[in-house]
Amino acid sequence: MDRKKFLKNLGLGVVAAPIVSTTLISCSSNDNINEGGTTANCGVTKSDMLGPYYVSGTSKITNLNTQNLSGDKIVVSGKIYGTADKNSPVANAMIEVWHADNGGIYHPVGDGNVSNYQPSQITLRGFIVTDAQGNYTFESIRPGLYPGRPRHFHYRITANGYKILVTQIYFKDDPTTSNENIESCRIVDFQKDSKGAYKGNADIHLQKN
Ligand SMILES: [Fe+2]
């Protein structure tokens, strides 16, 4: 569904478009300090805004694109650590992921519990659990752009003994990433493999309770 049709269905119409844009901008990043470093050490991963489209209670899943939406295939992998260094991988961490489709629209464009929606309204959302070595991986399509934000994934990570981390992961090849002061460790250099799928690594460092 294109944006115009989507707004019409919401009963907002064209007049409401600026309001929607304002809401979208509210999902912007915090005032992160650009540390100018490499992926070697940014310390504990910085938090970012939850945004207006977090839906709780989604399913455990490895391919978020449950409705076969069009877009570039992407595979994100990484490791969850329990310290600023790489000495303590966290097993059984729950990583909830959600992101916009190829056209910059979330499914649903809303929040609350998943039970408030029809299954057909839910996609590009779900959670992954880290293995014994703290590794995670998921597939999806590359998030699209929407006004006011660089391309991004939303993460919400919960693990026993650690503070809940709400953050976002960004794309090195998106020139608008530099519009926000994002430290280098959350900017992933996704590369296309021989089959045309984007692949990248996003490690996260949690903070103990
Ligand atoms: Fe977002």
Side-chain angles (χ1 to χ4, degrees), residues 10-205:
L10 272 184
L12 295 174
V14 173
V15 176
I19 297 168
V20 172
S21 294
T22 304
T23 308
L24 292 169
I25 287 162
S26 74
C27 135
S28 67
S29 64
N30 291 339
D31 293 332
N32 292 313
I33 298 160
N34 190 331
E35 296 168 350
T38 66
T39 52
N41 184 19
C42 291
V44 169
T45 302
K46 292 193 167 47
S47 63
D48 216 325
M49 292 295 284
L50 183 69
Y53 306 130
Y54 168 63
V55 173
S56 60
T58 54
S59 302
K60 185 178 179 184
I61 201 166
T62 53
N63 187 344
L64 305 186
N65 188 15
T66 52
Q67 295 188 28
N68 258 331
L69 299 182
S70 62
D72 295 317
K73 186 179 170 185
I74 193 164
V75 181
V76 187
S77 302
K79 209 153 176 154
I80 307 293
Y81 295 99
T83 48
D85 60 29
K86 298 195 171 189
N87 293 327
S88 52
V90 179
N92 295 318
M94 177 186 183
I95 310 164
E96 294 169 272
V97 179
W98 65 106
H99 67 89
D101 68 15
N102 199 31
I105 302 293
Y106 286 82
H107 300 267
V109 180
D111 59 3
N113 189 266
V114 73
S115 61
N116 298 333
Y117 300 95
Q118 296 297 320
S120 61
Q121 294 177 283
I122 306 287
T123 195
L124 308 183
R125 301 171 177 277
F127 74 87
I128 305 102
V129 175
T130 56
D131 67 14
Q133 287 76 45
N135 296 305
Y136 75 91
T137 187
F138 67 89
E139 290 179 32
S140 197
I141 52 171
R142 201 165 71 126
L145 291 166
Y146 58 82
R149 292 304 321 285
R151 200 184 299 278
H152 62 277
F153 287 105
H154 290 269
Y155 280 19
R156 182 178 184 274
I157 304 167
T158 49
N160 277 342
Y162 298 93
K163 290 181 178 166
I164 293 174
L165 176 68
V166 174
T167 191
Q168 297 181 31
I169 299 298
Y170 297 88
F171 290 70
K172 193 176 178 185
D173 66 356
D174 175 6
T176 65
T177 297
S178 60
N179 293 346
E180 298 186 11
N181 291 322
I182 303 156
E183 77 284 1
S184 61
C185 292
R186 289 191 295 131
I187 302 172
V188 176
D189 188 9
F190 287 97
Q191 297 285 335
K192 271 190 174 177
D193 69 9
S194 57
K195 292 178 181 169
Y198 285 93
K199 288 191 172 169
N201 193 83
D203 291 344
I204 302 286
H205 296 261

